[in-house]
Amino acid sequence: QTGQAIQALPTVRNDEVGQLIHGFNYLLDTLAQREAALQQSEATTRQTLAQSQALAHKLERYQLAMDKHVLITISEVNGRITHANPRFCEVSGYTLAELLQNDFRLLNSGFHPKSFFAALYENVMVGKTWQGEVCNRTKNGQLFWLAMTVVPFLDEDGQPVEFISMNTDITE
């Protein structure tokens, strides 16, 4: 009947029929083991999915909190901006689309000498975090100051592949 487990057959003969029954019982046992392993795997997958969803929700909450205060950008090694959070866009006056088409020279206020940015770049290119204060210029020409931390993300060879910049607006 459908939906009912197939029972192992008793082996009562030592001839070919007995060997077939033994083979049939072996297949049933193997099938039962694989079914149990599949059920365990499914349970583990459900648990992992639930944990991943909970972590994703937690990260969304953390990001929401960060976006209320911290100005965040992510850039490639060449300085091209690949992400800016809404708070960065708000303070800089640029839209995300405008920022994504450019590098950080767009924001250069002219306040710092080239050697300042060369030292920053040299530091992060060897995998070190850089911290300092930077004066930038908004889209409408106003100066704004940031307390900045730049963290390099490294590949498996220890080479930077992108940078995340976390900033606090310290303009007075």
Side-chain angles (χ1 to χ4, degrees):
Q1 292 181 348
T2 320
Q4 292 185 358
I6 300 173
Q7 299 294 318
L9 299 173
T11 307
V12 292
R13 298 171 60 171
N14 288 332
D15 58 5
E16 291 176 351
V17 173
Q19 289 176 350
L20 284 172
I21 291 172
H22 176 74
F24 176 78
N25 288 341
Y26 176 78
L27 288 175
L28 282 179
D29 185 48
T30 301
L31 183 61
Q33 289 175 13
R34 290 190 178 169
E35 180 68 24
L38 182 60
Q39 288 174 355
Q40 178 61 40
S41 176
E42 185 178 349
T44 301
T45 300
R46 283 193 182 132
Q47 182 180 12
T48 302
L49 178 60
Q51 290 170 343
S52 296
Q53 289 170 333
L55 283 173
H57 182 66
K58 185 182 261 189
L59 285 174
E60 288 172 6
R61 290 192 327 257
Y62 290 168
Q63 182 174 354
L64 179 65
M66 294 282 287
D67 282 345
K68 297 293 182 189
H69 175 77
V70 179
L71 292 76
I72 299 173
T73 60
I74 300 175
S75 64
E76 296 175 340
V77 175
N78 65 7
R80 190 176 75 79
I81 300 167
T82 59
H83 173 77
N85 73 337
R87 181 81 175 119
F88 190 91
C89 294
E90 176 187 333
V91 171
S92 72
Y94 288 98
T95 66
L96 180 59
E98 290 170 322
L99 291 168
L100 295 181
Q101 298 170 9
N102 287 286
D103 61 27
F104 288 101
R105 289 180 290 209
L106 176 70
L107 303 162
N108 190 335
S109 66
F111 180 85
H112 303 283
K114 288 184 179 183
S115 60
F116 175 85
F117 292 107
L120 183 162
Y121 187 73
E122 182 180 306
N123 198 66
V124 296
M125 284 304 291
V126 295
K128 296 180 182 174
T129 297
W130 181 89
Q131 291 183 310
E133 294 182 358
V134 176
C135 181
N136 285 322
R137 187 174 303 278
T138 65
K139 184 176 179 178
N140 69 10
Q142 299 292 318
L143 297 181
F144 67 102
W145 282 87
L146 299 176
M148 179 182 287
T149 300
V150 181
V151 179
F153 288 111
L154 310 176
D155 65 14
E156 54 277 348
D157 296 324
Q159 298 301 309
V161 292
E162 66 180 359
F163 306 110
I164 184 166
S165 173
M166 297 164 288
N167 312 280
T168 301
D169 185 359
I170 57 171
T171 307
E172 294 182 7

